[in-house]
Every structure is written in C-alpha cells, then in structure tokens.
Amino acid sequence: MINYSCVLTGKEPMTLKRSWHKVTIMCGIVGYIGTGEAAPIILDGLSKLEYRGYDSAGIAIFDGEKINIKKAVGRLKVLENLTHGGETMPGYAGIGHTRWATHGAPSDVNSHPHFNKNGTIAVVHNGIIENYIPLRNKLLGKGYEFISETDTEVLAHLLDYYYKGNPLEAITKVLHRVEGSYALGIMFADFPEEIYAVRKDSPLIVGQSKEGCFIASDVPAILKYTRQVYYVDNQEVVKLRRDHMHFYSVDEEEIKKEPVTIDWDANAAEKEGYEHFMLKEIYEQPKTVTDTLSPRIKNGEIVIEELNMSDEELKAVKKVHIVACGSAYHTGVTAKYILEGLVRLPVEVDVASEFRYRNPVLEEDAMVIVISQSGETADSLAALREAKSRGFKVLGIVNVVGSSIAREADSVMYTWAGPEIAVATTKAYSAQLAALYLLAMKLGRVRGTIDDALFASLLSDLKKLPNQIELLLGQKQKIQRFANRYVGAKDIFFIGRGIDYAISMEGSLKLKETSYVHSESYPAGELKHGPISLIEDGTLVVAISTQPALFQKTISNMVEVKARGAFVMAITCEGNKAIEKAADYITYIPETNPYFANSLAIIPLQLFSYYVAVGKGCDVDKPRNLAKSVTVE
C-alpha cells in the first residue's frame, strides 16, 4: 500500500505532441540510504539544487513497512513545512525530486515521485521519455491505469510490468525499451535495503560517506556529506546500500569505477552573507580569472598541457569551429575576433542547436571547440558527438570535472570557476574568456603570428585582469544608483562593433534573463538597417566602445540614437574623452589590450543587470522559465 498525501484527480492525460520534448529543463534528484533519517537529508540536498529551476517538489521514504510520499506545488519550502522539515516522514531510505513541468501542468498529482499500481515501486525522473505514448498505450492494453499527465508514470508501470522479484533485471528491461533522456532514482518496497540510480543523457552522480550512500543531480546537493563521488555514465545502473554500491551495465554486467574527489571549498556553494548567489559570483570573478590563468602561465610562456596536441599539430590547424549555447556562445564570438585577429585562423561560431542539424561542412585539419559551463548541455553534447562521428578531435572547455562533455571530448580545458549556483552565469563566463585568451595566445605563439614583443605585452595585460576587475567591482554603488533609474524600463538596446558587439550580446542576455526587461543587441553599424526605428524619447541605449580603431564609428552611432531621443549609457576605455559629447552616462574601464576588453566591460553590465532585477523584485538566482543547464532539447 502507498500512503498518498495529495488528492489524485484521476484526470485523463492530455494529448501531447512530440514537440513537448523541446523544453528547457534541469530538475533535481536526491536519494539517500544510510544510518541517518533520510527525509531531512534529502530535503537539504534538494535545497542545494533549487538553482536548477522547478515548480513542485516531492519525496518518497520507506518507513520499514511501506513507501510514504509527500508532494507539493510551489517552492521547496512548502514541502518542508508539510513534512516539518522531514520529521513526519521517518525512514532510512528515500528519494526526492524538484520538478519542472513538461508533460502535464504543475500540480500535486503530476509532481514526482510516481508509483506503480500497488505503491511498491517509486520513481523520480529528470529528462524526457520520447516514446512514452506508445509505451503508455501498451500498458493501458495490459490493464494499467494512469492518474497523472506525465511521461514518468510510464516508467513506474513499466517497471511493475517487468518486475519478477529482481529489481536489476526489471530496470535493465525497461532501459532497453525506453527512448529519450533520463536520470532516475528508484525504490522497491520488496528491497528496503536498496535504492537504484540510472542515467542516460541527463546528469547524475552517486557518493558515499560513513553515514550512507547518496544519489544527486549535482555535487552541491551532497557536498556537505561526502567529497567522494562517482559520475554515472550513460545506461549504467547503480545499486546503493547503506555501506556500499555496485555499478552495472545495461546488460547487468558489473562495472568497476573509480571515485572522483571534489576539492571545492564547501562554502563555495553557500551565499556567505551575500544577498544572492549571483552577486557573490560576480565578486568571485577576480579569483576565478586568476585560478584559470595562473596554472597555465609558466616561466613566461603559455603551457596548456591538457590540449594533448603537439606544436606541429597546432601548426597544422587550418580552421576553428566553436560550438556553444547562450553565454558560452558569446564567449565564442569574442574568440572569433581574437583568433582571426591574433592568429589569422578562420573561425566559425555556431549555436549548438543549429550546428547539429545543419549538416555542417568541416574541413580537414579543423579544430572543433565545444564550450559549456555544466558540461551537460544537450545540444553542445550532441554537437560534440557529431564532430567526433566525422573523425574530428574535439576540445571541450568546461567547468564541471567529470561532466559528459569533459569525458567525451578528446581534450579538456577546465575553467576552475568552482560551483556556479545562479542561473545567470557570471564567473563561469569570465573563466571561459580567460581560457580562450590562453588558447589564442598559445596558437599565435606556436604559429608565429605573435612575436616576442607582442606576446610579452599580451601576457602583462593578461596578468593585470584580476586586479582590474576588482577595481571595477568597486564602482557597484554608482552602477546601482544608475540601475535604479531603469527599474521600470520596457525596452533597452545594446550596441557595439567587433568585440564590443560580442560584449553587447552578453549584456543584453544578462538583463533579459534576470530582470525580464526586453532588450536586444545589435551591431552598431546595423542601426540604420531597421533597429533605429525603435528608438524614441527616453529609450536607454547601452553603447560599448572599447576598441580604439572603432571609437569614432561607434560615437557616430551614439549621436544618431541620441538625436532621436535616446538616453545613452556608454562603457569605454580610460582616455576616450571624445565619447563624452555623445553619452549621457559613462563607465570607464582600465587600459588593457583591446582583445581582452570583454573581461572588463562585462563587469558593469553584470552589475547593472543584477541591480535592475533586484529593484524589480525578481528572483535573481532562479529566473522564471530558466534552468542552469539545458539537458534536453
């Protein structure tokens, strides 16, 4: 028997089109079996995954006789209050979930965990089961009844259908029949001393401590309990008991795996007195840039051992393809200007979802670079696999050790930004830029396009970046006052040329994703080709002008919009006094090589976006409709 704490409606599942799997989703899973009370541990772990985005939460605990569940729509706090912090749900084994609605609206009945007909099998699921409709129809024909609108309930009934007393056998049979992406936590009432973890194309880790074993979607959920984690690979099954765990292939063959030690400071996943994670992470950027740069600068040279490419192989590269999504894509656009300017290599930059479906032409001796903070971005991972299937080696630039991209790429540059909790990236973006600067300088040095004098100058400017970022962070009160004037703005436009256009793209994205203010970025030279028609009295135009060769061109564009009633905020370099006649508000960045300007100009734009969002009362760390990483299409 199952003890339901929510009212089940019996509503028939809505008809869903296949396009339902095109969603942004990154729910949270936590499981525990051990010597401690499971519910408080699971709730605590889920609280560390709130940044992933969700609209409901649920928990299933085995109390020694039966599986009990509690589910609630809304923030995790609702579930915590419902269970008195887990105290009303005794038991030493359980699974929990924070759900982002895909199949079926947010409701108690659609929330996870889901169960079989007798309440003896419980399942939590991240991802999408793409063939759930034919599976559901098959189960309906076998007499199964469905009470939710979710694809996940199919898994619970399918497990029931194949279960003949052996959980591992039932799980592997299900895996052979489902299509899509999934990370699963599973409990069988017949086996109260075990919980199971399963993964395909959706991140999942397991860990062990003296107190028990854990399942989690991400490291922060269990970091306070253990630093020894195992990254579950595709179509692997893990059986967890109180004091040990076993790994199996989809064919039920046991696998040996080695743990990874997480060396993050545990406080790195906490706010440490900051109002929001986003602000904390903005302030961590000087350290992040230092941590990414310093280990790769040795004796006055750039040393990137993880490239696994000889100088001769680097010289043989004829073209670079950069593939990424969101902010990582914007770092790629910056890298295009740098690589073409400094290294004289042709570069194509693709949004990963476009790259994977456009049948791209990859030339012989091309280098493919995939950039992702999480290392789990679905489209970027698919692009990596597409490139590898064609015989091309892939360099991954990622932040999460042991992530899918890190494991599948031929070589990896880690950004070492530490855990980034806020959905809107800041420090990981800056770390990606730093990694790309190093890569460009290494390529230029090897290929002879950067001579000794230029290299020394670039290296000197590179080393100054952390302190210069620190100086810009000291202007936060000035930027906050300015941001307060635009809390009620409806439209804001960002313009720039060259690298400044790449900066404007990221500035615009930061504003819209944190504050929900409509914003657009345009190459400044495109204004007269349409966008200038949108300028009216009082419209804020943010003009980035950090490239000396383009100062006058950008000033002309600023004059154009100001003449049509715009209020112009400018970000430019110290000494560019000519901009004062065209701008109403100016933030100056310290002197640096123009190729590195993004690392400085982005700081006031991050702060501006943050303070507009705070002024509007937005949920800064967890913006609506967004998740930290997009792990399905």
Side-chain angles (χ1 to χ4, degrees), residues 479-545:
I479 294 169
Q480 182 178 11
R481 288 194 296 270
F482 180 75
N484 289 341
R485 297 171 55 180
Y486 286 93
V487 167
K490 301 298 182 184
D491 304 281
I492 296 177
F493 297 94
F494 292 72
I495 60 172
R497 292 172 179 263
I499 285 177
D500 291 336
Y501 172 51
I503 300 168
S504 75
M505 293 168 70
E506 177 63 10
S508 176
L509 177 61
K510 278 293 146 293
L511 182 68
K512 69 181 68 171
E513 67 183 343
T514 57
S515 70
Y516 320 140
V517 172
H518 170 255
S519 66
E520 300 291 343
S521 61
Y522 293 100
E526 279 289 291
L527 279 172
K528 285 190 174 179
H529 295 273
I532 202 166
S533 66
L534 298 171
I535 304 301
E536 55 189 33
D537 283 347
T539 301
L540 176 61
V541 174
V542 181
I544 296 93
S545 182

Side-chain angles (χ1 to χ4, degrees), residues 148-184:
S148 77
E149 301 171 292
T150 69
D151 58 333
T152 304
E153 192 179 3
V154 167
L155 294 173
H157 293 314
L158 203 58
L159 284 164
D160 179 272
Y161 179 73
Y162 287 115
Y163 177 62
K164 308 300 180 189
N166 184 332
L168 182 61
E169 180 183 53
I171 290 169
T172 55
K173 284 184 176 180
V174 169
L175 299 190
H176 282 295
R177 287 156 180 81
V178 297
E179 300 171 5
S181 63
Y182 46 81
L184 307 176

Side-chain angles (χ1 to χ4, degrees), residues 49-106:
L49 299 180
E50 287 191 287
Y51 67 90
R52 298 166 72 87
Y54 68 101
D55 47 42
S56 59
I59 190 170
I61 303 293
F62 189 82
D63 68 1
E65 296 181 2
K66 61 183 180 300
I67 298 174
N68 296 292
I69 68 167
K70 297 281 186 181
K71 304 197 281 188
V73 174
R75 288 301 183 193
L76 186 63
K77 192 68 177 176
V78 179
L79 182 63
E80 290 174 341
N81 291 338
L82 189 65
T83 63
H84 297 280
E87 291 181 5
T88 62
M89 297 190 73
Y92 301 101
I95 51 178
H97 189 264
T98 49
R99 174 185 186 248
W100 195 313
T102 55
H103 298 76

Side-chain angles (χ1 to χ4, degrees), residues 319-321 348 350 354-364 366-368 386-387 390 392:
K319 187 171 184 177
V320 176
H321 292 265
E348 282 191 28
D350 274 282
E354 292 297 313
F355 178 89
R356 65 181 293 194
Y357 290 122
R358 72 173 174 86
N359 193 21
V361 177
L362 300 179
E363 301 84 346
E364 187 178 355
M367 172 186 276
V368 179
E386 173 71 17
R390 299 185 183 204
F392 290 87

Side-chain angles (χ1 to χ4, degrees), residues 422-439:
V423 168
T425 183
T426 51
K427 66 175 181 174
Y429 174 86
S430 289
Q432 288 166 2
L433 287 174
L436 288 164
Y437 298 155
L438 291 167
L439 180 62

